[in-house]
């Protein structure tokens, strides 16, 4: 009887282990996901760096053609519109310089505690907290936190390249 019980327990363990093993991801899926994570991290770096340097063309290239930037109730839709949004910052700086005003201290946008959630092989969400720091503006103007919050970025693979479909910097959930 003891052998029968031991055999039943062993059989149940092997069945459960087999079910877990077959339900796990294949090596190909694991490798694709690792590569996708690296590409998404690089995408978000290019996004942030373009924003920090007021490079509207590069910033827009991180979005899908119909991509959106959403801040609360305000949405900027389409690559051309998001490019104009960033180009406006560059124009403001040029206007300050033309008036002889001091340049605005550089802004540094940072993502923290990020998590990539794969929806399927061509769709993901990049969840993060963000922090925008205005650099010191001289001896009497220390660096300051200009903004902080949470973002949810809906990403889509288009022609093999990860892009931002929707960047929401004030999600309600």
């Amino acid at each position: 009887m003891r052998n029968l019980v031991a055999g039943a327990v062993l059989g149940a363990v092997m069945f459960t282990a087999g079910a877990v093993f077959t339900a796990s991801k294949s090596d190909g899926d694991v490798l694709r996901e690792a590569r996708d994570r690296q590409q998404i991290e690089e995408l978000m770096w290019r996004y942030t760096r373009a924003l920090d340097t007021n490079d509207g063309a590069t910033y827009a290239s991180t979005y899908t053609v119909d991509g959106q930037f959403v801040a609360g109730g305000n949405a900027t839709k389409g690559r051309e519109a998001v490019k104009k949004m960033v180009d406006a910052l560059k124009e403001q700086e040029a206007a300050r310089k033309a008036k002889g005003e001091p340049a605005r201290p550089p802004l540094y946008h940072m993502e923290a505690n990020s998590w990539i959630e794969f929806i399927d092989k061509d769709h993901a969400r990049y969840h993060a907290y963000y922090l925008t720091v205005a650099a010191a503006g001289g001896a009497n103007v220390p660096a300051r936190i200009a903004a902080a919050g949470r973002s949810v970025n809906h990403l889509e693979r288009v022609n093999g390249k990860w892009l931002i479909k929707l960047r929401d910097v004030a999600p309600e959930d």
Side-chain angles (χ1 to χ4, degrees):
M1 181 66 153
R2 196 168 42 178
N3 288 341
L4 182 61
V5 171
V9 170
L10 180 59
V13 169
M14 289 175 60
F15 176 79
T16 303
V20 170
F21 180 74
T22 57
S24 67
K25 295 179 182 178
S26 71
D27 289 347
D29 289 339
V30 171
L31 289 172
R32 179 182 39 77
E33 190 172 293
R35 184 175 50 249
D36 290 345
R37 286 181 189 284
Q38 183 274 325
Q39 290 171 357
I40 290 169
E41 288 174 3
E42 189 267 337
L43 166 71
M44 298 312 290
W45 167 254
R46 281 189 302 111
Y47 166 90
T48 302
R49 190 65 187 138
L51 185 56
D52 287 347
T53 59
N54 298 332
D55 181 349
T58 300
Y59 181 85
S61 75
T62 65
Y63 282 86
T64 61
V65 172
D66 61 346
Q68 296 181 59
F69 174 84
V70 177
N74 301 319
T76 304
K77 299 178 183 180
R79 271 193 185 153
E80 191 56 35
V82 295
K83 179 182 181 303
K84 286 180 183 177
M85 182 178 72
V86 173
D87 285 345
L89 300 171
K90 188 183 282 186
E91 292 167 9
Q92 290 171 3
E93 282 305 305
R96 289 175 76 125
K97 187 175 182 179
K99 293 178 186 176
E101 295 176 2
R104 172 184 55 98
L107 293 177
Y108 298 102
H109 296 80
M110 293 167 257
E111 301 276 333
N113 294 356
S114 61
W115 170 51
I116 300 171
E117 172 189 11
F118 288 99
I119 307 307
D120 59 38
K121 70 178 191 67
D122 292 322
H123 297 88
R125 285 190 202 102
Y126 181 89
H127 304 263
Y129 289 102
Y130 65 83
L131 186 66
T132 305
V133 176
N140 297 322
V141 183
R144 65 180 176 76
I145 296 174
R150 184 172 74 88
S151 67
V152 177
N153 303 274
H154 299 258
L155 309 176
E156 186 173 293
R157 187 192 323 261
V158 178
N159 297 324
K161 183 177 175 182
W162 285 100
L163 297 170
I164 300 167
K165 176 83 171 176
L166 170 72
R167 177 166 170 81
D168 186 351
V169 296
E172 293 185 14
D173 63 338

